[in-house]
Amino acid sequence: MFYYIIDILGTIAFAISGVLVAMEKKLDVFGVLIIAFVTAVGGGTLRDLLIGIRPVGWLNAPIHILVIVLTVILAILFVKQLKYVRKSLFLFDTIGIGLYTMAGVEKGIAADLSPVMCIALGTITACFGGVIRDILCNEIPVIFRKEIYATVCILGGLVYFLLIQFPVISNTIAHSLAILTIIVMRILAVKFKISLPNIYREI
Amino acid sequence: MFYYIIDILGTIAFAISGVLVAMEKKLDVFGVLIIAFVTAVGGGTLRDLLIGIRPVGWLNAPIHILVIVLTVILAILFVKQLKYVRKSLFLFDTIGIGLYTMAGVEKGIAADLSPVMCIALGTITACFGGVIRDILCNEIPVIFRKEIYATVCILGGLVYFLLIQFPVISNTIAHSLAILTIIVMRILAVKFKISLPNIYREI
Amino acid sequence: MFYYIIDILGTIAFAISGVLVAMEKKLDVFGVLIIAFVTAVGGGTLRDLLIGIRPVGWLNAPIHILVIVLTVILAILFVKQLKYVRKSLFLFDTIGIGLYTMAGVEKGIAADLSPVMCIALGTITACFGGVIRDILCNEIPVIFRKEIYATVCILGGLVYFLLIQFPVISNTIAHSLAILTIIVMRILAVKFKISLPNIYREI
């Protein structure tokens, strides 16, 4: 139940990030809705396609569509007020990334894939909604230019696979600690403006 | 047989719309062919991937490839004459959208999905060939900026699911009326320049 | 074993072409890695999705991920030296295209698809990694503007299906001759600057 609520909050945060990018591009209502939708479910969809889960998850999860539609309507109506909840949005988004990453890792394990592939799938789940959003809006994906976003997903996945090597640590605890790692690292990275050293310099 | 001919006409119209966009971008012959192809089969391909139909439809439908290749050759040879058939093209395209939408709805029903998801799949079938075309040509998809295109697909799907609630209406009739709704609404929307109110204004 | 080594060399060449495009776009380390990855495995992934092979190939081939990661690290470290191996890179890339094309054709045959579809899948395998690379980097795919790249794949596929009509020619020989055809034609096309006649002229 607790996870379920957080999952919905993550979906909302992802959908709002889609709304904001789409409105910047002056898309119409339908365009804004589609961009919000792909931002929220795109990563999981790509993961399901790659693993071969069919149909892809959201086709059997009407609750997500409902949440996304409501989010888009409210976000368009109250777009000016969105800046007042910027901090909450960042928190939801960060929690969403943590949950999405571990959801992807779990699906990979369920499909008998190796840890490296599970981590790749977790990162895809968390990050590729944003990649598809940016491609549809004709931008180079932002996560290819601010790498810390994807890096924390990879590190979170590593933490999980390290922890489950210890028999004393239950799966639930390893799972929760991995999510916590992602959340804490992302908050720290943003707070202290940590990023990998840039190899070029734009003029 | 009747549906079959209309399906081919819709494919031709979609392929030609691909040729026109690709030629505007000065792509070479191979590029024009690929863009025409994805415009015509892209929506159905994405639908099949999401549902999990395998292999995707066109891999077992050589007739579509043949029609698309011939269309591309003729469209390149007679590109100057295309403007004289502009009205027929619009009609084929509109009929194509109607048919593609209901084809997507049907595949959704066959996969036991809920009405909302069937309508989503119908809209994807009709619209996402154009979305992939625009992405490959490095444009923000035109349907995200002129929403009436997708909106009529959604309304057509709703009409279908409303009609089949009445036991006196056979499936075939509901099906045909839904397609007719899409065609009539699109023609009216274009004739009277109806579009959803724009929430921004470009300067 | 011989094929295996060449496959790895092809993967390296494809990954490096991804690194070069990504660095031109000033992507960060993570972005460069992802672009290298999709360039190398994107075509095969799309092919597997279209046919319905699940999970897609690379999820069970950690060696490819390892090779790509090492290639990216070395390519970033020695980016200035890459120009000295330009000729070798072109050769690897050309051999890679030949192998990828025939690998795609084979998967199509294994899925009982018609020759036309097998050739289409072979061309997708060889070319669409580059297409996805260019889309992610916000460019119109280069192969839609320099068609000879895809054309040699199609011709190679045709050669294969022509040769296996003759009972005296074994499958292995037809396979090898098709790969050779692709390699020789591409080298000749680049050497003599052959390309299909352009139908437009940019000002």
Side-chain angles (χ1 to χ4, degrees):
Chain A
M1 186 61 201
F2 175 67
Y3 274 113
Y4 189 74
I5 292 170
I6 289 186
D7 176 30
I8 297 296
L9 291 179
T11 303
I12 292 173
F14 276 41
I16 291 178
S17 99
V19 169
L20 294 176
V21 174
M23 291 188 83
E24 210 169 276
K25 289 282 173 176
K26 309 239 182 264
L27 300 191
D28 64 35
V29 175
F30 177 75
V32 171
L33 179 64
I34 293 295
I35 300 294
F37 185 73
V38 299
T39 310
V41 308
T45 300
L46 180 56
R47 175 202 63 215
D48 288 355
L49 289 177
L50 293 174
I51 300 180
I53 295 168
R54 50 179 194 164
V56 299
W58 59 266
L59 281 173
N60 285 319
I63 184 74
H64 280 93
I65 293 216
L66 189 67
V67 166
I68 293 167
V69 169
L70 287 178
T71 301
V72 169
I73 293 171
L74 290 173
I76 290 177
L77 289 178
F78 299 104
V79 68
K80 294 222 164 106
Q81 282 73 37
L82 272 181
K83 64 182 170 202
Y84 300 119
V85 291
R86 188 174 285 269
K87 276 206 174 165
S88 312
L89 279 181
F90 171 72
L91 199 65
F92 292 172
D93 184 56
T94 300
I95 296 171
I97 291 167
L99 283 175
Y100 278 41
T101 302
M102 287 314 294
V105 167
E106 263 178 13
K107 296 254 181 183
I109 293 172
D112 267 331
L113 297 170
S114 64
V116 171
M117 299 305 172
C118 293
I119 295 174
L121 289 171
T123 309
I124 287 172
T125 309
C127 299
F128 269 70
V131 170
I132 303 174
R133 173 198 66 206
D134 293 344
I135 293 171
L136 288 177
C137 289
N138 205 11
E139 295 282 344
I140 295 181
V142 68
I143 68 151
F144 296 167
R145 290 174 282 148
K146 294 187 185 174
E147 80 279 9
I148 213 65
Y149 197 94
T151 308
V152 296
C153 301
I154 296 172
L155 290 175
L158 284 175
V159 164
Y160 174 76
F161 282 105
L162 281 177
L163 289 177
I164 56 169
Q165 304 306 316
F166 300 96
V168 294
I169 301 173
S170 78
N171 192 55
T172 315
I173 291 178
H175 198 100
S176 308
L177 284 177
I179 292 175
L180 206 68
T181 306
I182 294 172
I183 295 171
V184 169
M185 283 197 304
R186 175 134 193 258
I187 291 173
L188 290 178
V190 169
K191 198 170 178 74
F192 297 107
K193 299 202 169 94
I194 298 165
S195 74
L196 295 187
N198 218 313
I199 21 175
Y200 337 85
R201 195 143 299 282
E202 259 173 305
I203 300 139
Chain B
M1 187 60 201
F2 176 66
Y3 273 113
Y4 189 73
I5 291 171
I6 288 185
D7 177 30
I8 296 296
L9 291 179
T11 303
I12 292 173
F14 276 42
I16 290 177
S17 98
V19 169
L20 293 176
V21 173
M23 291 187 83
E24 212 168 272
K25 290 282 172 177
K26 310 239 182 264
L27 300 191
D28 63 34
V29 175
F30 177 76
V32 171
L33 179 65
I34 294 295
I35 301 295
F37 186 73
V38 298
T39 310
V41 308
T45 300
L46 180 56
R47 176 202 62 214
D48 288 355
L49 289 177
L50 293 174
I51 300 179
I53 296 168
R54 49 179 195 161
V56 299
W58 60 266
L59 281 174
N60 284 319
I63 184 74
H64 281 93
I65 294 214
L66 188 68
V67 166
I68 293 167
V69 169
L70 286 178
T71 301
V72 169
I73 293 171
L74 290 174
I76 290 177
L77 289 178
F78 299 104
V79 68
K80 293 223 163 104
Q81 282 73 39
L82 273 181
K83 63 181 172 203
Y84 300 119
V85 292
R86 189 174 284 270
K87 276 206 173 164
S88 312
L89 278 181
F90 171 72
L91 198 66
F92 292 171
D93 184 56
T94 300
I95 296 171
I97 292 166
L99 283 175
Y100 277 41
T101 303
M102 288 313 297
V105 167
E106 263 178 14
K107 296 253 182 182
I109 293 171
D112 268 331
L113 297 170
S114 65
V116 170
M117 298 306 171
C118 293
I119 295 174
L121 288 172
T123 308
I124 286 171
T125 309
C127 298
F128 269 68
V131 170
I132 302 174
R133 173 198 66 206
D134 293 344
I135 293 171
L136 288 177
C137 289
N138 205 11
E139 294 281 345
I140 295 181
V142 68
I143 69 152
F144 296 167
R145 290 174 281 149
K146 294 189 186 173
E147 80 281 7
I148 214 65
Y149 197 94
T151 308
V152 298
C153 301
I154 296 171
L155 290 176
L158 284 175
V159 164
Y160 174 77
F161 282 106
L162 280 177
L163 288 177
I164 56 170
Q165 304 307 316
F166 300 96
V168 294
I169 300 173
S170 77
N171 192 55
T172 315
I173 291 177
H175 199 99
S176 307
L177 285 177
I179 293 176
L180 205 68
T181 306
I182 294 171
I183 295 171
V184 170
M185 283 197 302
R186 175 132 195 260
I187 291 174
L188 290 178
V190 169
K191 198 172 178 73
F192 296 106
K193 298 201 171 96
I194 299 166
S195 75
L196 296 187
N198 219 311
I199 22 176
Y200 337 84
R201 197 144 298 283
E202 259 175 302
I203 301 139
Chain C
M1 187 60 202
F2 176 67
Y3 272 113
Y4 190 74
I5 292 172
I6 288 186
D7 176 29
I8 297 297
L9 291 179
T11 302
I12 292 173
F14 276 43
I16 291 178
S17 98
V19 170
L20 293 176
V21 174
M23 291 188 82
E24 211 169 275
K25 289 281 171 177
K26 310 242 182 261
L27 300 191
D28 64 33
V29 175
F30 177 76
V32 170
L33 180 64
I34 294 295
I35 301 294
F37 186 73
V38 299
T39 310
V41 308
T45 300
L46 181 56
R47 176 202 62 214
D48 288 354
L49 290 177
L50 293 174
I51 300 180
I53 296 168
R54 49 181 196 160
V56 299
W58 60 266
L59 281 173
N60 284 319
I63 185 73
H64 280 93
I65 293 215
L66 189 68
V67 166
I68 292 166
V69 169
L70 286 178
T71 301
V72 169
I73 293 171
L74 291 173
I76 290 176
L77 289 178
F78 299 105
V79 68
K80 294 224 162 105
Q81 282 72 39
L82 272 181
K83 64 182 172 204
Y84 299 119
V85 292
R86 188 174 282 271
K87 276 207 172 163
S88 313
L89 279 181
F90 171 72
L91 199 65
F92 292 173
D93 184 56
T94 300
I95 296 171
I97 292 166
L99 283 175
Y100 277 42
T101 303
M102 288 313 296
V105 167
E106 263 178 14
K107 296 254 182 182
I109 293 171
D112 267 332
L113 296 170
S114 65
V116 170
M117 299 305 171
C118 293
I119 294 174
L121 289 171
T123 308
I124 287 171
T125 308
C127 298
F128 269 68
V131 170
I132 303 173
R133 174 198 65 207
D134 293 344
I135 293 171
L136 288 176
C137 289
N138 205 13
E139 294 282 345
I140 295 181
V142 67
I143 68 151
F144 296 167
R145 291 173 281 148
K146 293 189 186 174
E147 80 280 7
I148 213 64
Y149 197 94
T151 308
V152 296
C153 302
I154 296 172
L155 290 175
L158 284 175
V159 164
Y160 174 76
F161 282 105
L162 281 176
L163 288 177
I164 56 169
Q165 304 306 316
F166 301 96
V168 294
I169 299 173
S170 78
N171 191 55
T172 314
I173 291 177
H175 199 99
S176 307
L177 284 177
I179 293 175
L180 205 68
T181 305
I182 294 171
I183 295 172
V184 170
M185 283 197 304
R186 176 134 192 259
I187 292 174
L188 289 179
V190 169
K191 198 170 178 73
F192 297 107
K193 300 201 170 95
I194 298 166
S195 74
L196 295 187
N198 218 312
I199 22 176
Y200 338 84
R201 196 144 297 282
E202 259 173 303
I203 301 139

